[in-house]
């Protein structure tokens, strides 16, 4: 759900304890819509995330590492100039608004202490992040908004900041007077659905909470408000009071094993079909809920440029191979051309110049049936025979070349699909940068300018795991890592694992000089299945063999190997196992499915 005002107030109450009184040590902008503040606090350091993403706008403490771009964006540099070293004095929220304000005391250019405000407007598609000076003027904002007929509140540097206008006809449920309550009760004598009635008349409520209040009051979410408006209002007042008193429980709604929504309290309206899974903090809840979604969105956004090139190259290759298949099918009639040439040569004495058809006995078949052979009337009999012999020779040569080209195309298509699979499993900028470098080396992308090439970051490391028996397991993130793992780093007695005829990562089980136990092989095979295109399947075949039986052919594309003397395990991909084994790894980032 979009974080409503009630949920935001609960999150801010938790967050304030970890940031108020702390000093901003570093400022990063890991993505276009996110700012990450590293804060030194007397109770311990923490990281505060402010997201102005229209679909994920929020403020939270986070424990997840985030990769930063090689060059910090301009807005990030501005925040570093004005906020680094500043002390956070307060974190507050205007009543029932999806806004969060950080009051910060920092030094100006003269060394004097001044007040500044960092404001997060977590309002859906209008989400924004603004820095204000000590007089309330906008220094700059993440998204500048020009004033026009459709936008009454321009947001530009130099303008005085104004709160968004309050929605007409709606009241603050935290400050409802007796007169307003009586008016709402009078309006509630109608057949409007209770959840719609609450959304139309009160600020700060999400559809999820409005339905939940209706469910608590009437036992169903679509009951008419006229059934008992007083009971509905009492439930809402009680809910608001609990949030104000800090009686909240971070809750993730799980359906079919996947988090679909979250709230500040258990949700009962969905019944047993949806599990309400509680968390100790909102920070842990929001990290869990948004991690996979953000990773997928960031990879899709940042890899969009070369994903388009890859997809176009693959589609073009598929069309080319289809034409080659059609041409290959036509070459299979070449024996007919050779026989026509033989029959014309054998019947030269019967042919006349200018004939369009030769009727002759076909001595290649039993009973020698009479067949008709098309002729070119402008050619002599000898020239007609030569034409068919030439067509036969051309088709024979074409078949050999087409088979070579088709085999080359199949290998190229397999390589492109393996790269697309690597992109789908990339975790961030550095993974994408390695894939980009691979595509540059293989000729699918142009090399970038020298200035950007100088800013290369060190190569990422493979994903690291530990089997239950304590053996190390490495999983390549992309084709370049797969090559390094298999051909340079692994010893000949270590075990290599890969899904059979399915694109995926190379997995190395480091045996430490001894024979691996069966459980370690099984766990490594399950990881190989999970980090492959077969992760949604059952009984995925995974081949495994000592590394000494794995070879890389000369001239092969990155990640392409051949292997012999292998065994096959059939396993079910298990993301829970990946999490379990990942927790024991000595290095590397946590990967979630």
């Amino acid at each position: 759900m979009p974080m409503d005002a009630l949920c935001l107030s609960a999150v801010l109450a938790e967050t304030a304890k970890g940031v108020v009184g702390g000093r901003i040590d570093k400022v990063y902008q890991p993505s276009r819509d996110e700012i990450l503040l590293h804060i030194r606090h007397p109770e311990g350091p923490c990281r505060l995330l402010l997201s102005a993403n229209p679909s994920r706008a929020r403020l939270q403490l986070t424990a997840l590492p985030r990769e930063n771009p090689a060059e910090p964006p301009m807005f990030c540099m501005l925040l570093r100039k004005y906020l680094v070293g500043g002390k956070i004095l307060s974190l507050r929220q205007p009543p029932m608004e999806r806004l969060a304000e950080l009051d910060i005391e920092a030094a100006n250019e003269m060394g004097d202490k001044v007040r500044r405000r960092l404001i997060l407007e977590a309002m859906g598609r209008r989400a924004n992040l603004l820095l204000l000076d000590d007089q309330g003027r906008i220094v700059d904002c993440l998204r500048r908004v020009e004033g026009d007929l459709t936008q009454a509140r321009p947001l530009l540097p130099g303008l005085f900041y104004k709160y968004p206008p309050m929605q007409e006809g709606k009241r603050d449920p935290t400050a409802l007077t007796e007169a307003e309550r009586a008016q709402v009760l009078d309006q509630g004598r109608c057949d409007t659905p209770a959840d719609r009635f609450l959304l139309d008349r009160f600020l700060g409520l999400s559809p999820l909470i409005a339905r939940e209040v209706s469910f608590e009051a009437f036992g169903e979410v679509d009951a008419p408000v006229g059934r008992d408006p007083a009971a509905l209002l009492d439930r809402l007042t009680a809910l608001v009071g609990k949030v104000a008193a800090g009686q909240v429980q971070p809750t993730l709604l799980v359906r079919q094993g996947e988090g679909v929504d979250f709230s500040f309290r258990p949700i009962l309206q969905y019944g047993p079909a949806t599990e309400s899974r509680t968390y100790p903090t909102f920070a842990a809840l929001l990290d869990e809920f948004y991690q996979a979604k953000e990773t997928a969105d960031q990879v899709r956004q940042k890899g969009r440029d070369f994903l388009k090139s890859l997809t176009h190259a693959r589609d073009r290759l598929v069309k080319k191979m289809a034409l080659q298949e059609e041409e290959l099918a036509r070459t299979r009639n070449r024996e007919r051309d050779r026989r026509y040439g033989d029959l014309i040569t054998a019947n030269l004495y019967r042919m006349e110049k200018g004939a369009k058809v030769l009727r002759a006995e076909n001595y290649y078949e039993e009973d020698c049936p009479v067949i008709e052979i098309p002729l070119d009337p402008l050619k002599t009999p000898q020239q007609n025979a030569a034409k068919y012999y030439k067509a036969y020779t051309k088709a024979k040569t074409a078949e050999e070349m087409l088979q070579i080209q088709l085999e080359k195309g199949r290998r190229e298509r397999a390589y492109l699909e393996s790269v697309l699979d690597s992109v789908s499993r990339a975790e961030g900028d550095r993974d994408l940068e390695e894939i980009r470098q691979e595509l540059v080396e293989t000729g699918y992308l142009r090399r970038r300018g020298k200035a950007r090439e100088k800013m290369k970051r060190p190569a990422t490391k493979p994903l690291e795991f530990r089997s239950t028996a304590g053996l190390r397991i490495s999983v390549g993130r992309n084709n370049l890592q797969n090559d390094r793992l298999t051909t340079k780093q692994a010893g000949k007695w270590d075990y290599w694992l890969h899904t059979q005829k399915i694109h995926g990562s190379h997995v190395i089980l480091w045996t430490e000089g001894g024979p691996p136990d069966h459980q370690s092989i099984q766990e490594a095979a399950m990881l190989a299945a999970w980090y492959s295109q077969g992760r949604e399947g059952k009984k995925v075949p995974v081949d495994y063999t000592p590394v000494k039986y794995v070879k890389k052919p000369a001239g092969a594309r990155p990640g392409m190997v051949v292997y012999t003397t292998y065994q096959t395990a059939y396993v079910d991909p298990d993301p829970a196992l990946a999490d379990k084994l990942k927790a024991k790894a000595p290095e590397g980032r946590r990967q979630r499915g």
Side-chain angles (χ1 to χ4, degrees):
M1 74 172 189
M3 186 177 289
D4 64 9
L6 281 176
C7 188
L8 180 60
S9 66
V11 173
L12 293 186
E14 172 187 292
T15 306
K17 299 175 183 177
V19 301
V20 174
R23 291 191 177 274
I24 299 174
D25 194 30
K26 298 177 182 178
V27 179
Y28 295 110
Q29 189 172 348
S31 69
R32 182 181 60 183
D33 304 316
E34 292 181 344
I35 292 295
L36 191 64
L37 305 180
H38 286 229
I39 299 172
R40 289 181 288 110
H41 194 271
E43 300 296 326
C46 62
R47 287 179 289 187
L48 179 64
L49 175 70
L50 299 101
S51 174
N53 186 292
S55 60
R56 299 187 298 271
R58 68 195 187 280
L59 177 146
Q60 65 160 113
L61 294 173
T62 181
L64 295 178
R66 285 173 166 79
E67 289 187 4
N68 300 302
E71 294 183 1
M74 290 299 297
F75 189 67
C76 177
M77 296 294 290
L78 181 82
L79 296 183
R80 289 178 180 178
K81 175 182 177 181
Y82 287 105
L83 299 184
V84 169
K87 181 179 181 180
I88 299 177
L89 303 178
S90 67
L91 175 60
R92 63 178 182 270
Q93 173 192 20
M96 297 306 288
E97 291 287 353
R98 287 182 290 169
L99 270 72
E101 297 186 21
L102 280 167
D103 278 335
I104 302 165
E105 184 182 66
N108 61 14
E109 293 82 353
M110 304 299 294
D112 300 326
K113 292 184 178 181
V114 295
R115 293 280 188 94
R116 296 192 174 97
R117 283 190 292 166
L118 188 61
I119 299 181
L120 173 66
E121 297 184 348
M123 301 182 301
R125 62 186 179 87
R126 294 185 178 179
N128 210 339
L129 187 63
L130 306 99
L131 177 65
L132 310 185
D133 62 15
D134 55 343
Q135 297 180 356
R137 287 192 179 91
I138 299 174
V139 178
D140 207 346
C141 46
L142 201 59
R143 294 186 182 90
R144 297 183 180 183
V145 180
E146 300 283 349
D148 54 30
L149 294 177
T150 61
Q151 175 65 47
R153 193 175 64 108
L155 300 174
L156 295 171
L159 298 181
F160 282 100
Y161 176 77
K162 296 180 180 180
Y163 288 125
M166 185 175 294
Q167 295 173 289
E168 294 183 7
K170 292 191 176 184
R171 298 174 173 84
D172 180 359
T174 63
L176 200 63
T177 65
E178 289 298 326
E180 289 175 332
R181 176 183 172 88
Q183 186 180 7
V184 171
L185 291 176
D186 184 61
Q187 294 171 345
R189 304 183 189 280
C190 60
D191 293 332
T192 303
D195 59 331
R196 174 50 53 189
F197 180 83
L198 292 175
L199 291 174
D200 290 342
R201 284 163 177 78
F202 292 101
L203 295 169
L205 301 181
S206 66
L208 175 68
I209 293 303
R211 292 195 303 270
E212 189 66 17
V213 173
S214 174
F215 182 80
E216 285 191 346
F218 305 126
E220 53 183 320
V221 297
D222 54 356
V225 64
R227 181 183 298 180
D228 192 347
L232 182 70
L233 202 54
D234 288 342
R235 289 288 182 178
L236 176 62
T237 303
L239 176 65
V240 171
K242 287 182 179 180
V243 175
Q247 299 176 18
V248 295
Q249 180 62 65
T251 301
L252 178 66
L253 303 184
V254 180
R255 192 176 299 137
Q256 296 180 349
E258 182 179 356
V260 295
D261 214 335
F262 65 89
S263 183
F264 55 87
R265 50 156 297 160
I267 301 298
L268 306 177
Q269 59 186 276
Y270 297 117
T274 302
E275 174 192 357
S276 289
R277 186 179 299 171
T278 59
Y279 283 75
T281 63
F282 282 103
L285 164 66
L286 296 173
D287 277 349
E288 176 74 17
F289 182 76
Y290 283 115
Q291 181 183 17
K293 294 179 175 61
E294 287 183 339
T295 299
D297 287 352
Q298 289 172 7
V299 168
R300 184 167 54 250
Q301 177 183 339
K302 295 176 181 177
R304 186 178 299 153
D305 56 344
F306 60 81
L307 268 177
K308 183 178 180 181
S309 299
L310 276 177
T311 306
H312 177 68
R314 183 193 61 184
D315 294 344
R316 185 175 56 189
L317 181 62
V318 168
K319 291 179 181 178
K320 179 182 176 181
M321 292 176 63
L323 294 174
Q324 290 173 337
E325 291 281 4
E326 293 176 4
E327 189 175 351
L328 180 62
R330 289 194 294 269
T331 66
R332 297 192 178 102
N333 294 325
R334 68 181 184 278
E335 285 299 324
R336 182 202 63 184
D337 294 332
R338 184 179 65 81
R339 292 179 181 182
Y340 280 0
D342 290 347
L343 291 174
I344 291 174
T345 303
N347 289 276
L348 287 175
Y349 69 96
R350 301 171 56 181
M351 297 176 61
E352 297 179 359
K353 187 175 181 180
K356 295 183 179 180
V357 175
L358 169 64
R359 293 179 179 84
E361 294 80 7
N362 183 7
Y363 52 75
Y364 283 101
E365 297 183 14
E366 293 184 5
D367 301 331
C368 295
V370 176
I371 64 171
E372 293 184 350
I373 302 175
L375 301 175
D376 185 347
L378 300 179
K379 296 181 183 295
T380 65
Q382 291 84 354
Q383 288 174 333
N384 274 287
K387 181 188 73 171
Y388 281 112
Y389 283 135
K390 183 177 180 181
Y392 166 76
T393 303
K394 182 178 179 181
K396 183 178 180 181
T397 304
E399 182 187 37
E400 295 174 357
M401 296 305 298
L402 285 170
Q403 287 177 343
I404 293 173
Q405 291 297 318
L406 282 169
E407 179 59 30
K408 181 180 177 181
R410 281 189 282 268
R411 291 197 300 267
E412 199 68 16
R413 181 180 178 181
Y415 169 70
L416 290 174
E417 290 179 346
S418 72
V419 177
L420 287 169
D421 177 60
S422 298
V423 173
S424 70
R425 292 185 282 105
E427 290 185 323
D429 280 348
R430 288 205 294 171
D431 290 348
L432 291 173
E433 189 61 34
E434 280 202 0
I435 296 173
R436 175 184 285 278
Q437 181 62 29
E438 175 186 341
L439 293 173
V440 168
E441 293 175 1
T442 52
Y444 283 101
L445 291 180
R446 294 181 180 178
R447 192 173 299 277
R448 294 186 294 191
K450 293 182 179 179
R452 299 190 70 181
E453 289 295 332
K454 289 180 181 178
M455 301 182 63
K456 285 184 181 177
R457 286 180 278 185
T460 58
K461 296 181 180 180
L463 296 169
E464 295 290 341
F465 301 86
R466 288 280 176 181
S467 71
T468 303
L471 294 182
R472 178 183 164 206
I473 303 172
S474 298
V475 178
R477 298 173 186 267
N478 52 59
N479 287 324
L480 293 178
Q481 280 193 10
N482 290 339
D483 274 355
R484 287 197 295 268
L485 269 177
T486 302
T487 63
K488 296 182 179 180
Q489 297 175 358
K492 64 180 181 178
W493 298 114
D494 296 321
Y495 267 64
W496 177 88
L497 301 93
H498 194 281
T499 45
Q500 186 182 95
K501 298 180 180 179
I502 300 174
H503 299 298
S505 296
H506 291 204
V507 176
I508 299 296
L509 175 61
W510 306 86
T511 61
E512 300 178 0
D517 60 287
H518 175 74
Q519 185 174 359
S520 293
I521 292 178
Q522 192 76 4
E523 291 172 347
M526 294 172 73
L527 290 173
W530 178 247
Y531 291 104
S532 76
Q533 288 184 337
R535 64 165 52 191
E536 303 297 334
K538 298 290 185 182
K539 300 300 178 185
V540 177
V542 177
D543 294 337
Y544 61 95
T545 183
V547 172
K548 68 176 182 177
Y549 295 118
V550 183
K551 307 296 180 184
K552 186 172 184 64
R557 290 293 196 186
M560 301 298 175
V561 296
V562 294
Y563 55 96
T564 58
T565 319
Y566 62 90
Q567 295 176 275
T568 303
Y570 294 86
V571 297
D572 293 332
D574 184 4
L577 176 71
D579 280 343
K580 175 184 175 183
L581 300 183
K582 189 70 173 183
K584 300 180 181 180
E587 60 184 359
R589 291 170 292 169
R590 183 177 295 271
Q591 166 80 9
R592 298 202 51 85

